[in-house]
Structures are given as structure tokens and as C-alpha cells.
Amino acid sequence: MKRLRINTLLSGGTVGQEVAVGGWVRTRRESKGIAFISLSDGSTQDNLQLVIPEGSPAFRNLAHCNTGAAVKAQGILKESPGKGQKFEVEVSALEVFGDADPVLYPLQKKGHTLEFLRELGHLRPRTNTYGAVFRVRNVLAHAVHEFFQERGFMWMHTPIITASDCEGAGDLFTVTAFDLGKSPGSDNGGFDFSQDFFGKHAYLTVSGQLEAEFLAMALGDVYAFGPTFRAENSNTSRHLSEFWMIEPEMAFADLKDDMQLAEDFFHALCKSVLEKCGDEISFLEKFYKRTSVEELKELAVKPFIHVTYTDAVRELERSKEHFEFPVKWGIDLQSEHERYLTDKVFKGPVIVTDYPKEIKAFYMRLNGDDKTVAAMDVLVPKIGEIIGGSQREERLDVLISRMQQTSVPRENLEWYLDLRRFGSAPHAGFGLGFERLVQYITGMPNIRDVIPCPRAPQTIKF
Ligand code: 4AD
Ligand code: MG
């Protein structure tokens, strides 16, 4: 008999129906000649109770049904007398595929710390916490596509291997086919990349934006959603070396349109989690006391607060808070500053706009004051920046001079300048860090706990 997933069974099953389920044993107990197994199959936050009467042939297999064992059970769906569960299965046949030694299996009943579970990347998806987080992650990924597809944006696959550093920050991983032990050197003692696989220095992309721009300049509204890589040596609770980014890019759009899109997008994502992952959020709220269902309901509708960089700096200068990094106009906002603004001043998501040009990337559109650029960052409580975006510089001469000022080499980006030579138009876009979003919505304290295989400095075990 084909197995039913526990979520399907709980939502659409009928009493008396014959069913088969497969999953991993959470707990087993016996009482007065009846055995009870609590089974999880990852499809829902709920476990299913299997009831095995002593007389049943299934009873003989119970010895191997320890916590962690993989089993398939067949039986009749019954209304459950237990509280908190609608159904249970009275088992007639029980097959044990793989048992789990109770001395060796590391996920016994008691709660483990997230740090301990991080060392068990291959087993942690079986816990309630990670099951919840990964289901929310899946729902959010789907909601991303739903949101853009409904609005006529086309999903474009920007490259993972690239020759350009979009952000100009130099945090790049090199991609090479050299055998590093015996590769040809160049005059200055480095590698001669002209002899490498691509004939030039290649990298893992830090952002799909530059390619999304030329696609938007032909197709109108597009979005990229894929992995991006940063070789920043940041060991923090909000940085990964490999993370997923969603990058919409819109033709004939300015910063205002960009901010409106970011807000609508954020609201839609919160709504879809509320709609589809209420149990997961309630569970996480109970254990981690960070993002609550009530808070999410508010986030799903509340307009973002807007503040210019200049006003935000004024607010920070006025505060009595002791900051590790001193504040004055022109500084890049540090995480402590961002959190002060979101957690203490505005108490919610904030869009900060019009940053000094010196601290932002070369492609952002220069404002009339010649000092600031049409940039926007969305900051959220506890985490800080989750979205970074801007209107793009569409004027060829201004862009060339910005590239010179920021020492961005032109030779790799002539094609990017072409977009300003031929049919240039105002356009804008942003990048949302997918893991930061999942982290914010699930309330997980560390970003390494919202992606199955986190990549960070010195971290690549799984
Ligand atoms: O602000 P960033 O660097 O912007 C860009 O890359 C633009 N090219 C995006 C665009 O306009 N199309 O990165 C965008 C977002 C950040 O706001 C943050 O949420 C996330 O990506 N991010 C990271 N997330 C996890 N780990 C890291 N190391 C991250 N660096 C950036
Ligand atoms: Mg940024």
C-alpha cells in the first residue's frame, strides 16, 4: 500500500480508512498491553500516534522500534481519545527498515542546544525545530515565485560563475581549473589567469544584479533567485559565505517604485507563512520567544517607516546609547546602529534611503546633491539589513565617472556600459537575503540554523 504523508492524513483522512504511513520513531511507550509510537515523517509539525495492541502481529517488531528507527505502518484510522490529536492509527502491520541503536543515536528525547545540533547537520532536520524551520523555508521559497509570477516578473537564471565583482567589495571566491600545485605564474608572481579555463580571472558571483539589469533592459520586469557567495571573513549570526538572494529588477522604475515593491513583497511573504505555517511559527514562538504569530500578523500589513540616512544619523547622534563605532555623517551604518534604529527608535522595519555615495556601490544613481545616491536598505529588528537596493545609474557619463572614483575596472564592464549607450532607461531593483528573511520570520537566533548546509569561515562539514 502506498504511504500517505501525515499532513495529508491529518487534513483529509476519514475515520475507518485503511492507511499506510512511513516515518521515524520519536518515542515509544507501553502501557497495559498496548504499545504507542509517536511517528514523525517531516511533512508537518504534528506527530502521528500509532497504537499497537498486544495481540497484533505488529507487536513482535516493537523491540526494534527505538527512537530514530525508520518504520512503515499499516492500519485503520481512528478518532484519537488523546488530547491535541485528531487521529491515531490502529496498526495491523509494522515493518522496521532501519533501527537506531539507543546508545549511539544522538537525538534522544531530551532537548539539545542548537550549537550541539549544528554539529549534526545530517540528523538535525529530524528535530521539531529544524523541521519547522525548513518547512517555513520551503513555503517562503514558493511564495517568492508566486509573488513575482503573479505580477508578470520573469524568473531569470543569472550565472553562478562570473568575471565581475558586482559589489566592488572584493569579497570573492576564485573559480579556477588550475592544479594549484603546478599552475603557470604571471610576471608579478601571482597566477596567470589568461592561461586558466576561462582565459581570465573568474569568481563565484556575489550578486546576479548586473546580469538581471541587462535582462530587465530587454524583458521589462525580471527576478533572479539563486545562490550567491561572499568570501567575507565575518563570523556573525547573520553572515553566510553561501546564501540565496532574490533580486528583482524593473525597467522604467525609480527608487519609489523599488521601495513599494520591497514592501509589497515583504507583506506577501509574511502572509503566506501565516497562512501555511501557523503551527510551525507557534512552535518556534514557544521555544525561542522571538517572532510571534501576532507580530507576524502586524508585519504582514504595517507600512515600512521611511527615513533618510541623514535623518537616521541625526537620530543616532542624539541618542544616549554608547556605540562601539562612533557616529557621524558619512559612516557606514554598523549592525549596532541598525539595531538601535529598528529596535529602539522605530520599533519595526525601517527603510533607510539616500546614503552617502562613498559607502555605496558604483552602480547606484547619483542624487542631485552630488553627495548621496538613490539607495535603500530595509532594516528589521534584531537582525538589521535584510534588503539592499537602489535605482541604477542610467547616465553613461555619470556611471563612468563613478566607476573611476570607486576604482572599478572598466575593461570587464564595457558590456554594462553598453546598456547606457543603447536604449538606456531608468531602472531599479533590490536584493533580499533569503536566509536573513527566514531567520527573521522563524526567529532563529543564528543564520546558520535556517539553511540545511551552512557555509561560513571554517565551516563546511556537511
Ligand atoms: O546589500 P547587498 O550586498 O546588495 C547586493 O548584492 C545588490 N547587488 C542587490 C541588488 O540590488 N540586486 O546584499 C543584498 C542582501 C543584504 O541586504 C542581505 O540581506 C543579504 O543580501 N546578504 C547576506 N546574507 C547572508 N550572508 C551574507 N554574507 C550576506 N551579505 C548580504
Ligand atoms: Mg547592502
Side-chain angles (χ1 to χ4, degrees):
M1 193 175 187
K2 190 167 160 27
R3 79 166 173 119
L4 268 187
R5 286 195 202 99
I6 294 177
N7 64 342
T8 316
L9 182 153
L10 292 178
S11 60
T14 46
V15 171
Q17 186 185 349
E18 169 106 25
V19 294
V21 290
W24 292 267
V25 174
R26 283 299 176 80
T27 55
R28 185 191 79 202
R29 67 192 167 85
E30 271 151 67
S31 147
K32 299 183 196 127
I34 303 180
F36 299 94
I37 288 176
S38 172
L39 193 75
S40 160
D41 72 356
S43 63
T44 150
Q45 201 65 36
D46 297 316
N47 296 331
L48 180 68
Q49 172 148 284
L50 306 179
V51 182
I52 306 153
E54 197 164 13
S56 146
F59 209 82
R60 284 196 299 273
N61 287 337
L62 273 179
H64 297 286
C65 287
N66 294 314
T67 298
V71 305
K72 189 172 174 193
Q74 195 163 324
I76 303 291
L77 207 54
K78 297 249 157 111
E79 216 167 300
S80 178
K83 68 172 194 302
Q85 53 196 20
K86 192 163 141 204
F87 294 127
E88 58 187 32
V89 173
E90 193 178 290
V91 175
S92 52
L94 182 69
E95 194 176 347
V96 182
F97 293 104
D99 56 9
D101 187 318
V103 178
L104 299 177
Y105 186 59
L107 300 181
Q108 297 301 332
K109 219 168 45 174
K110 62 181 187 324
H112 296 294
T113 65
L114 298 176
E115 288 77 17
F116 173 81
L117 292 169
R118 234 171 268 150
E119 294 301 310
L120 296 171
H122 58 312
L123 296 174
R124 68 178 186 170
R126 296 189 195 180
T127 63
N128 288 327
T129 294
Y130 290 95
V133 170
F134 294 148
R135 281 189 297 277
V136 171
R137 186 182 166 104
N138 167 60
V139 162
L140 280 168
H142 187 209
V144 166
H145 289 298
E146 247 172 7
F147 176 85
F148 287 116
Q149 295 293 332
E150 275 171 13
R151 279 164 185 73
F153 283 64
M154 294 182 215
W155 184 24
M156 286 294 132
H157 303 89
T158 52
I160 287 172
I161 301 176
T162 166
S164 41
D165 176 7
C166 172
E167 292 307 295
D171 302 323
L172 298 149
F173 288 103
T174 289
V175 176
T176 179
F178 281 153
D179 175 344
L180 291 182
K182 20 180 157 115
S183 33
S186 67
D187 294 345
N188 59 14
F191 292 113
D192 179 5
F193 289 104
S194 69
Q195 294 183 55
D196 199 356
F197 191 88
F198 296 107
K200 56 158 74 164
H201 199 157
Y203 311 94
L204 292 178
T205 189
V206 296
S207 159
Q209 178 195 321
L210 303 184
E211 296 84 2
E213 279 188 56
F214 74 62
L215 292 158
M217 284 297 108
L219 300 167
D221 296 324
V222 300
Y223 68 107
F225 183 8
T228 49
F229 307 87
R230 303 219 176 160
E232 275 171 285
N233 199 3
S234 299
N235 261 302
T236 78
S237 60
R238 56 181 214 144
H239 285 91
L240 290 167
S241 319
E242 175 180 305
F243 62 97
W244 286 62
M245 196 164 17
I246 298 128
E247 300 186 89
E249 194 68 36
M250 296 178 287
F252 310 104
D254 61 12
L255 190 68
K256 212 159 142 260
D257 301 316
D258 204 30
M259 292 191 288
Q260 190 61 52
L261 183 74
E263 184 176 312
D264 293 347
F265 183 40
F266 183 78
H267 286 165
L269 295 173
C270 291
K271 280 187 193 130
S272 71
V273 168
L274 279 169
E275 210 176 283
K276 296 179 182 158
C277 295
D279 289 349
E280 280 77 5
I281 297 298
S282 301
F283 171 84
L284 293 166
E285 174 184 351
K286 199 163 115 208
F287 281 86
Y288 301 100
K289 302 192 171 47
R290 301 249 301 190
T291 309
S292 67
V293 172
E294 283 316 305
E295 230 176 301
L296 257 190
K297 280 188 188 156
E298 198 188 321
L299 286 174
V301 292
K302 197 174 154 190
F304 287 162
I305 293 159
H306 291 244
V307 61
T308 62
Y309 168 90
T310 302
D311 286 344
V313 164
R314 229 173 258 144
E315 200 66 61
L316 292 167
E317 281 174 332
R318 246 207 309 269
S319 101
K320 305 227 166 4
E321 193 91 354
H322 172 76
F323 295 118
E324 193 189 331
F325 296 92
V327 179
K328 70 169 205 281
W329 199 94
I331 62 150
D332 204 355
L333 297 184
Q334 301 296 317
S335 138
E336 55 172 348
H337 306 135
E338 293 177 346
R339 279 188 226 170
Y340 178 79
L341 293 171
T342 52
D343 298 24
K344 305 251 170 80
V345 183
F346 299 110
K347 301 192 167 48
V350 181
I351 296 198
V352 182
T353 59
D354 305 295
Y355 284 78
K357 63 179 179 189
E358 284 80 13
I359 57 168
K360 287 292 184 189
F362 70 95
Y363 52 72
M364 298 191 180
R365 192 177 197 283
L366 193 61
N367 285 330
D369 61 11
D370 213 25
K371 284 196 205 120
T372 58
V373 285
M376 62 108 174
D377 277 4
V378 177
L379 316 179
V380 297
K382 297 177 207 122
I383 293 179
E385 178 190 339
I386 61 164
I387 291 178
S390 66
Q391 184 172 341
R392 317 309 187 186
E393 184 55 76
E394 84 284 11
R395 298 161 296 185
L396 181 65
D397 52 335
V398 184
L399 182 59
I400 290 176
S401 96
R402 287 285 296 137
M403 284 168 77
Q404 280 160 352
Q405 283 163 18
T406 52
S407 310
V408 170
R410 219 171 123 165
E411 65 270 17
N412 277 347
L413 289 173
E414 280 303 326
W415 61 266
Y416 189 69
L417 295 174
D418 264 358
L419 299 176
R420 280 74 185 167
R421 289 188 185 106
F422 312 121
S424 188
H427 60 293
F430 63 77
L432 165 70
F434 188 54
E435 283 72 21
R436 290 208 185 153
L437 172 82
V438 180
Q439 190 187 357
Y440 184 48
I441 288 193
T442 58
M444 294 304 278
N446 195 312
I447 198 166
R448 297 179 192 199
D449 297 323
V450 302
I451 184 165
C453 301
R455 300 288 177 250
Q458 306 297 314
T459 306
I460 193 160
K461 183 168 168 191
F462 301 99

